[in-house]
Amino acid sequence: MEVILRENDAADWVYRGEGAANLVLSYIGSSPLFIGKVMRIRKAPRSDVVTVRSPSALTAHERLLWKDVDELISSSDKEIAGRLFVQHVMKPLLGSKFVDAGMHVLVSTEFLESVEKDIICQRPPWRVDNAQVDTQCDSVLLMSDHSVFSHGLGGGAEDTNFGIAKAFEDVLKSFIQANDGLCTESLLTLVAEALTKSGVLNQLLEVQKLDNVDIEGAIHAYYDITSQQCMVCRELGEEQAKKYTSLHSASLNESLRVVRDYLIAATAKDCSLMMCFRPRKDGGSGSEHNTVYLESTKQTFDFKADNSSHEPFGSVSVGRLVPA
Ligand SMILES: [Zn+2]
C-alpha cells in the first residue's frame, strides 16, 4: 500500500536543520513506519520568477555515462536520480550493509504547505529569506536517523573546549560504564575496534582506488565524451599536452569508463561515515559479527556503520544527514 503524507501528518515532523538545498525534519509521531527516520525536503528559492522544470533528470551526456544503469537513465527527476545512483551504483560497490539510499515517500501539497508554516519560526532568518519548502515536490526522501549523538555534543560545529569535553563525558556515562574521566577514551577504543571489525574502511578504499587519473586526467576524457576541444590541452600548448595524448586517443567506451570511475571514486572520497552503538543489556560474549567487546568496561556493544554518499548530480549535492 502506497503511503501519502497529508496535511494532518505534518504535526508529527519537527525541524532538525537545513543546508542550501534541503531541509531536514525528524519524526516525533508513533507510526512504526517513521520512527527512527528523518525526512529530507527539497527547498525552492524565494522568487517571483516561475521556473520551468527540466523534462528529463539527466543530460544526454549523463545518460551516456550511466548507460549501463537502466534504473538511473530512465528516472524522470534529478532528486530521484540521486537516490538511484546511491542505490544502484554506490551500494553494490560499498556493500549494502554500509549504505542507506533512503526511500521516497509521496506527500500532498497541503502537507508541504503545513510543514512550511510550522517550521518557519525555527529556521534561521537568512535561510527563510533565501528559500522556502518546495511545495511543487510530490515526494520527500526518508532516511535512517543517524544523529543519535548530535544534540550540538560539539558535532564538529565548534572547537572542543573543556566545557564541551566535560558535557560529552557526562553524556557518555549513561552509555559507557567506565571510571570518571575515562568514558571518552573508551568511546575512541570502541570506534576504532568497530571500524576495524566492520571492514568499512577497506571497502571505501577499494572504491576510492577505482580512479587512477584524478581530475587532471578525467577532464581530458570528459572533453572527448562531450566532443569539445580540450581546453586544458589548449592552455598547455603542444609540447606539454603530449602526455595526455593516450587519454585523448582512447575509445569512447574507455573515456566513459575513466569519467565514470572518477565520479564514483570522488563520491566515495566525499561520503560521510556514521557509526551507531548500542550497549547490550545482557552482556554477551562479543563474538558475533556486528558486536564489539570493550575489555576496559566489560561491556558488549552492537554496532552498525553507514556511508552517506553525496551524488554526482548538482541538485542533490548537499549531505544527506543533518546539515549544519
Ligand atoms: Zn586534453
Side-chain angles (χ1 to χ4, degrees):
M1 188 182 71
E2 199 154 42
V3 175
I4 302 179
L5 293 174
R6 303 192 186 278
E7 187 173 4
N8 54 2
D9 297 310
D12 290 335
W13 295 90
V14 295
Y15 181 76
R16 175 66 75 77
E18 64 190 286
N22 297 281
L23 285 150
V24 175
L25 309 184
S26 50
Y27 185 65
I28 56 165
S30 57
S31 165
L33 197 61
F34 300 120
I35 288 175
K37 301 284 183 189
V38 290
M39 172 187 290
R40 198 175 70 161
I41 302 181
R42 197 158 64 194
K43 299 201 299 191
R46 276 188 201 280
S47 166
D48 296 333
V49 179
V50 178
T51 53
V52 179
R53 282 166 193 274
S54 166
S56 169
L58 306 185
T59 65
H61 289 127
E62 283 172 329
R63 284 204 300 277
L64 180 64
L65 198 61
W66 304 107
K67 61 184 165 47
D68 298 329
V69 189
D70 291 340
E71 299 85 351
L72 191 48
I73 57 168
S74 56
S75 79
S76 58
D77 179 281
K78 207 134 190 165
E79 179 85 9
I80 291 171
R83 187 181 71 78
L84 293 172
F85 171 78
V86 175
Q87 179 76 28
H88 297 286
V89 179
M90 298 310 296
K91 200 166 176 172
L93 288 168
L94 289 170
S96 57
K97 66 177 175 173
F98 295 136
V99 178
D100 175 15
M103 182 179 90
H104 274 103
V105 173
L106 294 175
V107 291
S108 68
T109 306
E110 292 76 20
F111 172 84
L112 294 173
E113 285 171 349
S114 190
V115 163
E116 163 77 14
K117 201 160 59 165
D118 292 346
I119 66 172
I120 198 159
C121 297
Q122 294 158 69
R123 299 179 59 204
W126 67 276
R127 290 278 196 198
V128 174
D129 289 344
N130 287 338
Q132 60 193 18
V133 168
D134 185 349
T135 50
Q136 289 186 48
C137 288
D138 58 5
S139 68
V140 296
L141 193 64
L142 212 60
M143 309 196 65
S144 299
D145 186 351
H146 299 295
S147 61
V148 288
F149 292 112
S150 72
H151 295 296
L153 297 178
E158 296 176 56
D159 290 340
T160 303
N161 57 32
F162 178 78
I164 291 172
K166 173 79 170 58
F168 187 65
E169 177 78 19
D170 287 347
V171 170
L172 288 179
K173 275 181 191 164
S174 61
F175 169 74
I176 295 176
Q177 293 156 7
N179 291 334
D180 254 4
L182 293 177
C183 291
T184 305
E185 199 177 310
S186 299
L187 177 69
L188 295 178
T189 306
L190 190 60
V191 170
E193 291 195 11
L195 276 175
T196 306
K197 194 164 182 179
S198 71
V200 65
L201 293 184
N202 288 336
Q203 196 100 29
L204 266 178
L205 183 63
E206 285 309 307
V207 179
Q208 290 172 356
K209 280 169 28 183
L210 276 178
D211 167 44
N212 55 10
V213 295
D214 212 341
I215 187 64
E216 288 84 4
I219 188 67
H220 303 276
Y222 165 84
Y223 278 120
D224 285 345
I225 291 169
T226 56
S227 307
Q228 298 176 72
Q229 184 191 5
C230 179
M231 302 304 280
V232 178
C233 287
R234 199 180 73 170
E235 293 286 318
L236 285 175
E238 204 173 322
E239 196 54 36
Q240 277 190 298
K242 271 183 185 162
K243 61 179 171 183
Y244 299 114
T245 307
S246 62
L247 273 169
H248 279 302
S249 54
S251 66
L252 175 62
N253 270 339
E254 180 60 11
S255 298
L256 288 169
R257 185 197 63 75
V258 167
V259 173
R260 205 163 41 229
D261 285 352
Y262 166 76
L263 289 172
I264 291 171
T267 304
K269 288 172 190 173
D270 195 33
C271 75
S272 308
L273 175 63
M274 305 296 290
M275 308 272 321
C276 293
F277 296 94
R278 182 177 58 192
R280 283 209 171 174
K281 289 199 172 67
D282 57 351
S285 68
S287 61
E288 292 166 49
H289 188 59
N290 284 328
T291 63
V292 167
Y293 181 66
L294 196 57
E295 180 66 46
S296 60
T297 67
K298 312 282 186 238
Q299 282 176 284
T300 300
F301 293 85
D302 293 314
F303 73 86
K304 63 174 185 169
D306 188 281
N307 282 303
S308 174
S309 307
H310 297 232
E311 309 84 346
F313 308 110
S315 68
V316 281
S317 60
V318 167
R320 310 199 114 207
L321 301 175
V322 183

